[in-house]
Amino acid sequence: MLKAVIDGIEMELKEKMSILDAAKKAKINIPTLCYEEGLSIYGGCRLCVVEIEGEELFKPACATDIQAGMEIKTHSKKVRNLRKNLFELIIATHNIDCQLNCLTCSRANNCELKNIAEDIGVSKMRLDPIKRGEGIDNSSYSIIREPEKCISCNRCIRKCEEVQGIGIFTTANRGPETVVTTFKNRGMGNVECTNCGQCILSCPTGALHELYQKDIVLDILSDQTKHVVVQTAPAVRVAISEPFSNQAGDISTGQLVTALKRLGFDAVFDTNFTADLTIMEEGTELIERINSGGKLPLFTSCSPGWIKFIEHFYPEYLDNLSSAKSPQQMFGALAKTYYAEEAGIDPEDIVVVSVMPCTAKKFEAKRDEMAGDVDYVLTTRELASMIKSAGIDFLNLEDSEYDELLGVSSGAADIFGTTGGVMEAALRTATELITGQELENIDFDIVRGLEGIKKAEVEIGELKLKAAVAHGLGNARRVMEMIKEGEEFDFVEFMACPGGCMGGGGQPISCADNVLEKRQQAIYKIDKEKKLRKSHENPYIKKLYDNYLEKPGSEKAHRLLHTKYKARKI
Amino acid sequence: MVSEKLYLKGDKLLNILDYDFKSIKNALRMGRKETIQKIKDSELKGRGGAAFPTGLKWQLASEVEGEEKFLVCNADEGEPGTFKDRYLLEERPLKVLEGIMLAAFAIGADKAYIYIRGEYTRAIEVFTEIIAAARKNKILDSKIFDSNFKLEIKLVRGAGAYVCGDETSLLNSIEGKRGRSRIKPPYPIQEGLFSQPTVVNNVESLCCAAEVLNPDSEEFANLGIEGSRGTKLLCLSGDLNKPGLYEVEFGKITLQEIIYDLAGGIKAGENLKFVIPGGISTALITAKDLDFPYSYQAFEKRGSSLGSGAVIAVSKKHDLLDLMLNVSRFYMDETCGTCFPCREGNRQINKILKEFKNSGQKIDAELISDIGNTIRLAARCGLGQSSLNFISSVIENYGQELKIGGKIYA
Ligand SMILES: Cc1cc2nc3c(=O)[nH]c(=O)nc-3n(C[C@H](O)[C@H](O)[C@H](O)COP(=O)(O)O)c2cc1C
Ligand code: SF4
Ligand code: SF4
Ligand code: SF4
Ligand code: FES
């Protein structure tokens, strides 16, 4: 322990604590921009500088450990002035003019620069914006980069490299030409980007955002000749209210359905339904592989960020991937076949739209292997923006139910939205199908929680199933390396985003604390409160097999619900 | 008449067989502790610009625990107007080699790097040959001069970034990373190259150390005055009759004598306006104020520094604004781009000066001082912190003449 004084407050503090953290303990907010919890310290923006008694130069609070006896001024007049000057310098690089102003920016509602301006009380702007003349990078199906809005805070670089373990971005050039870009400036669509969108969540500005399809979807909704059906991913319902309420952890499934109906979708279905279906297909595949000595471990295949990752970095393991399509794609395939037949609509007239917590789903929908299943993919953020622009008072909406045929799901499907959820859903079904007995306790706590890598050995009758769960691509890589080194597993769940889909790159950019924990609690709550909690008990799944697909893994199921992967270069 | 004191300078010496390595042999005989003590007693300060006491640096490094330690010789010599390290590498490379060996021995390193400015092709050639010759003659690698001391030296060629002269950026560069400063602490002594304890020393500092330990030049450590010991290589340039490299004893010669006697005065028909005493990161000294002995403390008293020893004489014929623009352009282009105050501040200062030059647009005194202070107080490394020293001193001394109001550093 050591003693120090921060803004006149005497504090007793632990050693090795940054001035930033120490100030937080004293309930003092120091503005930061390049700092992000969970990433390495960069010390570039210098907005967090503080004055230390006896030292001539200011020190960055994020990068300076507190020392015994330090007297720190975090908001002296000198410091406040300096922050304002610094802010002016930052804004001057951040091309703001009439064509590119704050109203049209993707981050109009939650721009960190605007928040900081308010925090430090910026009152004047004396410098003209400097145009850099960089074009927009729209080479990716998922993510758009607007370098002119980039302030080179390096957060995307660190997120991609340190959390996701990929390293798509780099700093190039020096001096005023310093820019953040992709390898050889090739563009995000032409490098190993997995489209996970984690970088978007880290960007303080509008320099990174998804490829927007909200306007096209709004246009199509007003086209009377089209039958537009929508599906909503499990993780959307626990996050869609955040942009309206500014708090996390609320469940708004019913309001979500109402809002979609009001927006004019002809049928509102649930990706959860095909999540249940995924369990049937993937579970069958797992049992088959175990019984027939097939390739193990079996890897889950519902996270398209993970799929592109393994295609680039571990192509030698593609045969380990389940051939089951992701729930989004299964839904698209069924909407244009099964649903079209049942409802008597020409598949040509059906447009399938997904609402996903994920930016990689946009890329997935464009994959040659499954082109045409899904027509448009919206992120949770895009849907929130559409709801706002339609004047819908989301928080006060009454609840509605999903349309039935492809809209009924079990709690096992809901938990697909969190890390560990696919594994747990699969374990529930596999155990009962293999043993033929009903589970006493269907909560597999052993695969729950937010630990990066979870391992479990589960007894299913005679069988001891070795399972692992990894979320975040950095952890995915770690598990792949364990496997390479000979560690044995039977079944591994991989999700590209930290926390799983609920932490997806298309989710609202939240200012609330502990968002992931809160969303996760909400997801388990939905599951707990449902009567139907096992995929194989879903009556509409049974109906689908009875009336249409025959049985899991049938020839028809394979044609509609399974896919292939391809090795990609690095 | 003033004269040079020749210790570091001397006849070109490239043949390893003609060099007797007395200093390192002396050090090997004395042991590490005593070697360091000798350097501490000599009051040697780093010649790379920051003037950190060399003996203390070695002592701290020798006391740190680490899997391995590194000695890095900084031969990036990026400060405009500086050419002393180039001279040492091309003409006196054996002394440089000996200095590297000494430092490595003192701190307990068995690997050393020398990072040479990329444009110095001749120096790179010479030193590559010296390393090869030393290995061939069993002066490197293991059992050096029959002791247990072993040393491997690697030469790394710089890629032309000024910021890579900064020791932490240089370490990044050697590691193959982007040339950008590291956050200090940890200092290189604690966590340097490949996260191991590392000492970075300038070429001239290492040569001075070799001089201190040379039994033939025992007096070296007593040259100069308290606080400024030994000799200093001066790179005299600008509007001088006899520009070039000179070696002077600290405290025994004035800046006036350096300009007018050693360098033969200002070119015919021109009058001296000011002297930049230590490269363009130092504040100028006006022509009226040259009559003081050359020492660390005398410059410090005047709010400047002897920096790298690049003394640039500037006559009245130059356009002050052009000079400022030139320097400003240099800093703007050479920032590593990491920290916002340096990257954006220098860009804005350049823009403001340019507009003033082109259209006479009045300079907003408050604005320029706001930006200047922001860079100096908040920049992440020495480059940014000192980037406006020269420009600020021009405005302070000649603001009226230039019709620029205000001051950069408030
Ligand atoms: C921007 C910048 C450039 C520098 N360039 C050099 C250089 O070219 N050569 C050098 O020896 N030191 C240079 N330095 C100083 C080094 O960081 C370091 O202090 C020095 O190499 C230590 O050696 P010394 O103690 O022997 O002087 C530079 C520092 C900064 C901030
Ligand atoms: S989308 Fe994911 S993989 Fe691509 S750059 Fe962003 S963080 Fe990296
Ligand atoms: S794209 Fe965004 S996160 Fe990345 S450096 Fe630029 S401003 Fe920062
Ligand atoms: S002060 Fe300049 S050179 Fe140093 S870190 Fe900042 S931008 Fe880079
Ligand atoms: S937040 Fe500390 S330097 Fe950017």
Side-chain angles (χ1 to χ4, degrees), chain A residues 41-46 56-58 63 82 85-86 89-90 92-93 124 126-127 130 151-152 154 171-176 178, chain B residues 160-161 178 180 183 332-341 343-345 347-348 351 366-367 370 374 376-380 385:
Chain A
I41 299 288
Y42 184 59
C45 77
R46 317 303 278 182
E56 199 202 345
L57 303 182
F58 291 2
L82 187 135
N85 297 334
L86 200 48
L89 289 171
I90 297 170
T93 72
K124 56 185 173 198
R126 295 167 291 181
L127 304 169
I130 296 175
I151 55 168
S152 302
N154 271 36
T171 312
N173 309 334
R174 69 181 126 126
T178 307
Chain B
R178 181 176 165 79
R180 74 153 56 114
I183 297 171
M332 175 177 84
D333 287 345
E334 292 297 335
T335 72
C336 75
T338 300
C339 80
F340 295 17
R343 184 184 76 221
E344 300 310 330
R347 187 207 313 248
Q348 289 293 342
K351 187 163 170 259
E366 191 190 56
L367 178 63
D370 278 351
T374 302
R376 194 174 69 94
L377 294 173
R380 190 173 128 116
Q385 285 153 12

Side-chain angles (χ1 to χ4, degrees), chain A residues 24-291:
Chain A
K24 250 179 230 157
K25 285 203 129 204
K27 310 281 180 268
I28 297 164
N29 289 326
I30 297 177
T32 61
L33 186 51
C34 67
Y35 172 84
E36 184 178 325
E37 219 179 302
L39 302 183
S40 65
I41 299 288
Y42 184 59
C45 77
R46 317 303 278 182
L47 269 174
C48 68
V49 288
V50 297
E51 221 181 322
I52 299 173
E53 191 64 38
E55 294 201 31
E56 199 202 345
L57 303 182
F58 291 2
K59 288 276 154 60
C62 68
T64 311
D65 279 352
I66 201 141
Q67 309 273 327
M70 265 190 184
E71 275 181 51
I72 296 159
K73 290 184 203 143
T74 66
H75 284 78
S76 67
K77 185 158 179 250
K78 256 172 108 178
V79 173
R80 278 183 288 139
N81 278 341
L82 187 135
R83 287 198 189 120
K84 287 184 195 174
N85 297 334
L86 200 48
F87 193 76
E88 280 187 73
L89 289 171
I90 297 170
I91 290 302
T93 72
H94 178 68
N95 194 1
I96 294 180
D97 62 20
C98 295
Q99 285 139 34
L100 196 78
N101 64 29
C102 301
L103 298 177
T104 58
C105 182
S106 64
R107 296 295 294 276
N109 291 318
N110 49 11
C111 168
E112 280 188 36
L113 293 180
K114 271 208 265 187
N115 297 342
I116 289 170
E118 198 179 315
D119 288 349
I120 64 181
V122 171
S123 53
K124 56 185 173 198
M125 278 293 145
R126 295 167 291 181
L127 304 169
D128 298 329
I130 296 175
K131 279 208 171 118
R132 296 198 295 252
E134 293 157 290
I136 290 179
D137 173 7
N138 51 14
S139 58
S140 159
Y141 285 129
S142 291
I143 294 169
I144 302 285
R145 237 169 59 79
E146 299 188 32
E148 292 252 296
K149 288 184 187 169
C150 171
I151 55 168
S152 302
C153 71
N154 271 36
R155 272 161 62 174
C156 58
I157 302 187
R158 284 173 283 151
K159 184 63 150 307
C160 188
E161 199 167 295
E162 297 167 10
V163 177
Q164 296 299 71
I166 315 276
I168 287 306
F169 298 118
T170 183
T171 312
N173 309 334
R174 69 181 126 126
E177 273 87 50
T178 307
V179 288
V180 171
T181 179
T182 48
F183 178 65
K184 288 193 170 170
N185 209 10
R186 280 191 183 154
M188 297 186 71
N190 306 315
V191 290
E192 300 88 341
C193 171
T194 67
N195 305 305
C196 70
Q198 287 302 312
C199 48
I200 298 178
L201 300 182
S202 282
C203 183
T205 75
L208 288 168
H209 58 80
E210 61 272 52
L211 172 82
Y212 288 130
Q213 295 194 316
K214 54 186 174 183
D215 292 331
I216 313 176
V217 170
L218 283 173
D219 282 352
I220 289 172
L221 282 172
S222 57
D223 181 345
Q224 295 306 322
T225 66
K226 295 290 177 202
H227 183 83
V228 191
V229 302
V230 65
Q231 57 168 326
T232 61
V236 175
R237 65 209 68 195
V238 295
I240 183 71
S241 66
E242 286 171 25
F244 302 94
S245 66
N246 290 321
Q247 63 183 43
D250 293 335
I251 300 166
S252 26
T253 320
Q255 290 171 318
L256 171 65
V257 176
T258 309
L260 289 165
K261 295 204 158 153
R262 288 219 189 168
L263 279 170
F265 287 99
D266 297 301
V268 179
F269 289 131
D270 202 351
T271 317
N272 280 18
F273 174 75
T274 37
D276 278 334
L277 187 60
T278 299
I279 290 301
M280 301 308 292
E281 292 295 320
E282 206 166 88
T284 308
E285 191 179 353
L286 176 66
I287 295 167
E288 235 175 64
R289 286 197 194 201
I290 290 174
N291 289 342

Side-chain angles (χ1 to χ4, degrees), chain B residues 87-156:
Chain B
Y87 164 85
L88 292 169
L89 289 166
E90 290 181 5
E91 312 250 326
R92 315 282 291 160
L94 291 157
K95 206 178 274 285
V96 180
L97 173 67
E98 192 175 25
I100 292 173
M101 295 170 75
L102 263 179
F105 168 68
I107 64 169
D110 52 22
K111 285 210 184 71
Y113 284 80
I114 177 163
Y115 186 94
I116 307 184
R117 180 182 170 128
E119 293 92 331
Y120 284 2
T121 44
R122 178 69 196 139
I124 291 168
E125 261 169 44
V126 171
F127 214 79
T128 308
E129 280 164 27
I130 291 291
I131 295 174
R135 297 192 64 182
K136 195 167 147 224
N137 288 285
K138 310 231 176 301
I139 292 168
L140 282 177
D141 301 326
S142 57
K143 300 235 174 290
I144 296 172
F145 297 123
D146 298 321
S147 70
N148 285 327
F149 176 46
K150 47 185 182 168
L151 182 66
E152 213 182 291
I153 300 186
K154 283 206 179 97
L155 189 152
V156 177

